[in-house]
């Protein structure tokens, strides 16, 4: 990634801080829209416990999420801090107060119907798609109830990148694949600023696919690098990407084995 120098760095940070959701003034006080647009990934929580009824409502939002043919191809492993520590030998990340490991699950439906004959890729995709919708529903329900959250794919030992480890630790049958962990808690301090989101005209088009504007993409990259540097003084966006990339190879092999039953397709 190109080095932007101190002036570019400051400009990029200013642009991040100016980023705001774009809402037509006539809709600005719609409660659901406000909840959706206010949500941020929060990575610092207070020690305040989440009441049982609030957590139950969050899980209920996941249970009632939409799914392909209403197959409900998901499972949720729910944790208190104590349960997490007992399962993984470490505290919940960010001092979270509850966690849900969200899994794509075609095993359960297969006990009563064969919905995906000889189609592991479709089966996996459908499971991931549906479980991700359930995850987002839980995330938004939490937000509506004043509970912040963050989705994680690499908590050390509890997400997409740790699928093989979790298969063993949680005794997952074939057809059950961990996708992400959602950590819940009450936010400590103010929400972080909105990270750089691409403008609508770069991601939405009418008719044929339109390539992104290289200048807009370069600007976004510069903001990502500056934002990361500002929040992780001893690291960088590039370094974080390298950590992520270093885990991908193992995760790819583990997932191929779990989804296709063999390491190579
Ligand atoms: C499937 C998924 C996995 C994620 N994994 C991580 C993670 O491992 N660590 C982390 O700090 N954030 C993780 N995030 C949070 C993203 O970094 C965050 O959504 C993104 O930076 C946008 O910020 P926002 O959620 O505040 O809009 C993940 C998000 C998603 C949807």
């Amino acid at each position: 990634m190109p080095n932007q120098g101190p002036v570019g760095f400051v400009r990029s940070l200013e642009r991040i801080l100016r980023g705001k959701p774009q809402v037509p003034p006539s809709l600005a006080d719609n409660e659901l829209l406000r909840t959706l647009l206010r949500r941020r990934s929060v990575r610092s929580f207070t020690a305040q416990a989440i009441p049982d009824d609030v957590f139950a409502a969050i899980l209920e939002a996941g249970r009632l999420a939409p799914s392909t043919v209403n197959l409900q191809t998901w499972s949720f492993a729910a944790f208190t801090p104590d349960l997490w520590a007992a399962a993984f030998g470490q505290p919940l990340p960010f001092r979270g107060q509850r966690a849900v490991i969200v899994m794509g699950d075609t095993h359960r439906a297969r006990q009563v119907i064969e919905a995906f004959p000889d189609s592991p890729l479709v089966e996996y995709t459908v499971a991931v798609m549906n479980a991700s919708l359930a995850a987002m529903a839980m995330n938004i329900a939490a937000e509506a109830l004043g509970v912040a959250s963050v989705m994680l794919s690499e908590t050390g030992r509890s997400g997409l990148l740790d699928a093989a480890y979790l298969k063993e630790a949680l005794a997952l049958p074939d057809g059950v694949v961990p996708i992400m962990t959602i950590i819940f808690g009450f936010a400590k301090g103010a929400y972080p600023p909105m990270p750089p989101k691409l403008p609508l005209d770069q991601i939405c088009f009418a008719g044929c696919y339109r390539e992104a504007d290289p200048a807009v993409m370069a600007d976004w990259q510069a903001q990502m690098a500056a934002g990361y540097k500002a929040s992780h003084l001893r690291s960088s966006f590039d370094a974080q990407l390298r950590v992520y990339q270093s885990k991908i190879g193992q995760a790819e092999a583990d997932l191929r084995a779990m989804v296709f039953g063999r390491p190579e397709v």
Side-chain angles (χ1 to χ4, degrees), residues 39-41 43 150-154 180 195 197:
R39 181 211 60 81
R40 288 272 68 78
S41 292
R43 299 178 180 83
V150 61
M151 294 170 170
L152 298 177
S153 53
E154 44 157 2
M180 70 176 81
K197 304 285 185 182

Side-chain angles (χ1 to χ4, degrees), residues 15-185:
R15 297 191 56 142
I16 293 175
L17 295 175
R18 280 202 303 270
K20 294 272 176 296
Q22 311 282 313
V23 190
S26 58
L27 304 177
D29 53 5
N30 179 282
E31 269 310 314
L32 179 55
L33 201 52
R34 285 161 68 97
T35 303
L36 274 164
L37 301 181
R38 179 181 68 223
R39 181 211 60 81
R40 288 272 68 78
S41 292
V42 170
R43 299 178 180 83
S44 179
F45 300 105
T46 69
Q48 187 184 345
I50 297 175
D52 288 344
D53 60 342
V54 170
F55 190 59
I58 292 169
L59 290 172
E60 184 68 354
R63 184 175 80 90
L64 300 195
S67 64
T68 317
V69 199
N70 196 29
L71 288 174
Q72 301 162 61
T73 54
W74 49 58
S75 280
F76 314 138
F79 294 87
T80 59
D82 285 349
L83 278 175
W84 183 276
F88 301 117
Q90 52 186 320
L92 268 176
F94 312 123
R95 301 190 64 189
Q97 294 301 313
R98 300 280 181 137
V100 175
I101 298 180
V102 180
M103 288 160 275
D105 182 347
T106 51
H107 169 77
R108 189 188 308 106
R110 206 185 293 116
Q111 305 310 303
V112 287
I113 42 171
E114 180 48 299
F116 303 102
D118 298 326
S119 56
L121 186 57
V122 173
E123 179 173 339
Y124 176 70
T125 305
V126 165
V128 170
M129 182 168 62
N130 292 333
S132 301
L133 296 175
M136 191 63 190
M138 289 191 267
N139 197 278
I140 293 301
E143 189 68 41
L145 297 170
V147 174
S149 63
V150 61
M151 294 170 170
L152 298 177
S153 53
E154 44 157 2
T155 52
R157 286 277 152 134
S158 66
L160 174 76
L161 300 183
D162 296 308
Y165 167 79
L166 287 173
K167 183 173 170 68
E168 203 176 312
L170 303 178
L172 305 179
D174 288 348
V176 183
V177 184
I179 295 170
M180 70 176 81
T181 300
I182 316 179
I183 309 290
F184 298 97

Side-chain angles (χ1 to χ4, degrees), residues 160-165 167 177 247-263:
L160 174 76
L161 300 183
D162 296 308
Y165 167 79
K167 183 173 170 68
V177 184
K247 296 183 174 181
I248 296 277
Q250 187 59 49
E252 175 76 14
D254 291 346
L255 281 174
R256 277 179 193 273
M258 284 173 78
V259 174
F260 300 106
R262 58 185 190 278

